[in-house]
C-alpha cells in the first residue's frame, strides 16, 4: 500500500491532506492519521472519536464504491473540523430509509447526521468530494485547541 502524506501546517491554516491508495487498509490508515493530526492540533482524546469514526466511514465508502484512490483532507476552523474525502466516482451517496440490521451498508449518512455532522457533496470534474463538518466543542486558537 502506498500512502502519501504532507506535514500538517498548524500555524498557517490547519489543513492536512493525505492521498490514500485504494486498499482495504485505507480506512485504518486514515483513522490513525486523523487521530494523530487531531492530537497535534491539541484536540483532547475524548473529543476526537466522532471525527475519527466519520473519517473511517467516508474512506470505507470510497474504497467500497469506487475504483480509484481517494484523498483525505482535514481542515480545522475554530471549533469545527471539516473532513473531506475526494474520490473518482460521481455517484452520489444515498441514505437508506429504514435499513434493517441484516443489511450491509447504507447507514453511514444517518450515523453522521446523528453525530451532528453537516454533510455536503461537491461534484468535481473527476468525481466528488464528500464533506462532513463536525463541531469538536472546545476553544481553538489559530487552529490549535486550548
Amino acid at each position: 500500500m502506498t500512502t502519501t502524506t504532507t506535514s500538517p501546517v498548524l500555524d498557517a491554516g490547519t489543513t492536512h491532506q493525505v492521498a490514500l491508495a485504494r486498499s482495504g487498509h485505507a480506512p485504518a490508515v486514515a483513522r490513525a492519521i486523523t487521530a494523530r493530526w487531531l492530537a497535534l492540533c491539541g484536540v483532547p482524546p475524548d473529543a476526537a472519536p466522532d471525527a475519527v469514526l466519520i473519517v473511517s466511514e467516508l474512506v470505507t465508502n470510497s474504497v467500497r464504491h469506487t475504483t480509484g484512490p481517494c484523498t483525505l483532507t482535514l481542515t480545522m476552523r475554530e471549533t469545527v473540523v471539516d473532513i473531506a474525502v475526494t474520490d473518482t466516482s460521481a455517484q452520489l451517496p444515498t441514505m437508506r430509509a429504514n435499513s434493517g440490521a441484516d443489511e450491509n451498508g447504507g447507514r453511514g449518512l444517518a450515523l453522521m447526521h446523528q453525530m451532528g455532522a453537516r454533510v455536503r457533496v461537491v461534484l468535481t470534474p473527476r468525481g466528488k468530494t464528500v464533506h462532513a463538518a463536525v463541531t469538536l466543542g472546545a476553544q481553538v486558537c489559530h487552529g490549535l485547541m486550548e
Side-chain angles (χ1 to χ4, degrees):
M1 176 181 72
T2 303
T3 302
T4 306
T5 64
T6 57
S7 299
V9 184
L10 299 175
D11 61 345
T14 67
T15 295
H16 186 58
Q17 190 170 70
V18 182
L20 299 165
R22 186 177 181 280
S23 159
H25 298 290
V29 170
R31 285 191 302 271
I33 289 168
T34 301
R36 186 171 55 241
W37 183 78
L38 290 170
L40 286 171
C41 287
V43 176
D46 62 334
D50 285 354
V52 172
L53 179 59
I54 289 169
V55 164
S56 186
E57 176 66 25
L58 293 176
V59 172
T60 297
N61 285 345
S62 179
V63 169
R64 184 179 286 170
H65 300 291
T66 70
T67 59
C70 68
T71 300
L72 169 66
T73 304
L74 304 166
T75 303
M76 186 75 71
R77 291 187 183 100
E78 298 183 11
T79 61
V80 176
V81 61
D82 179 68
I83 301 160
V85 175
T86 302
D87 63 36
T88 59
S89 171
Q91 181 179 356
L92 299 177
T94 58
M95 187 171 6
R96 282 192 192 162
N98 301 322
S99 59
D102 60 340
E103 294 177 356
N104 188 13
R107 293 177 292 279
L109 286 175
L111 177 66
M112 286 186 268
H113 285 290
Q114 287 175 347
M115 291 188 298
R118 293 169 309 282
V119 179
R120 66 185 173 95
V121 179
V122 178
L123 291 175
T124 67
R126 295 183 181 174
K128 70 180 171 303
T129 301
V130 180
H131 291 265
V134 181
T135 301
L136 297 174
Q139 294 295 330
V140 177
C141 178
H142 302 293
L144 298 176
M145 304 291 285
E146 294 186 313

